[in-house]
Amino acid sequence: MKTFKIKTHRPGAHYKTPHFFILNKGNNTGRPSYGPVSNSFVVFANSKEENEQLFWICNILFTGQYFKPRLVGSVIPFIHIGQIHYLLKKASKNYDGHHWNGRFKALKKLQNISEHLKYQERCLKEYQIALMQSYNLDRN
């Protein structure tokens, strides 16, 4: 995998090269996102394919909790930009197409299932409310 750059995201900034964001503060430190997030780093890649690979490598590192041991701060945990760069560089060096691609696909499927389950839970809560509100309290 070729080189990539990481910089601190400035709110309101727009980027033309392929990029994604990594949350750098709080309990979800290391979570990647395609949308801009405050308190995040922006990772620039050379191509869309490389950007997608880096995004999913970062997602695997986040899901595997590789960022947690590197958090600093007693009140609000955060991670240094150098630590993120080191972890992404190390993971991308060990990148093996078929090995990682299988993990990418599995992680995508798990995220889709998780989103579907959240949708089902939301529907069940709405049904509970509708069921309880359909009970007529004014009857004799």
Side-chain angles (χ1 to χ4, degrees), residues 109-125:
K109 284 181 183 179
L110 287 172
Q111 284 185 339
N112 288 339
I113 290 170
S114 176
E115 288 173 11
H116 184 67
L117 288 173
K118 287 177 186 176
Y119 171 75
Q120 286 180 334
E121 183 180 16
R122 204 171 42 246
C123 288
L124 284 171
K125 285 183 181 183

Side-chain angles (χ1 to χ4, degrees), residues 48-91:
K48 287 186 178 184
E49 180 182 283
E50 189 175 318
N51 188 55
E52 185 76 13
Q53 290 171 348
L54 282 170
F55 178 86
W56 285 104
I57 287 172
C58 186
N59 204 336
I60 287 171
L61 292 173
F62 171 73
T63 305
Q65 298 185 353
Y66 286 92
F67 296 112
K68 287 213 182 242
R70 291 166 172 82
L71 295 179
V72 293
S74 58
V75 178
I76 299 174
F78 67 95
I79 193 164
H80 295 285
I81 196 167
Q83 290 291 321
I84 295 277
H85 192 271
Y86 170 77
L87 284 172
L88 280 177
K89 193 81 153 168
K90 187 174 178 182

Side-chain angles (χ1 to χ4, degrees), residues 2-71:
K2 296 183 180 180
T3 60
F4 57 90
K5 292 182 183 178
I6 301 178
K7 292 186 178 182
T8 303
H9 170 61
R10 305 275 184 240
H14 298 284
Y15 309 104
K16 294 183 181 181
T17 60
H19 63 280
F20 67 94
F21 302 89
I22 300 174
L23 192 62
N24 64 9
K25 282 188 182 175
N27 293 329
N28 288 321
T29 298
R31 180 184 296 270
S33 170
Y34 284 118
V37 185
S38 61
N39 297 323
S40 64
F41 298 125
V42 61
V43 179
F44 299 101
N46 295 324
S47 67
K48 287 186 178 184
E49 180 182 283
E50 189 175 318
N51 188 55
E52 185 76 13
Q53 290 171 348
L54 282 170
F55 178 86
W56 285 104
I57 287 172
C58 186
N59 204 336
I60 287 171
L61 292 173
F62 171 73
T63 305
Q65 298 185 353
Y66 286 92
F67 296 112
K68 287 213 182 242
R70 291 166 172 82
L71 295 179

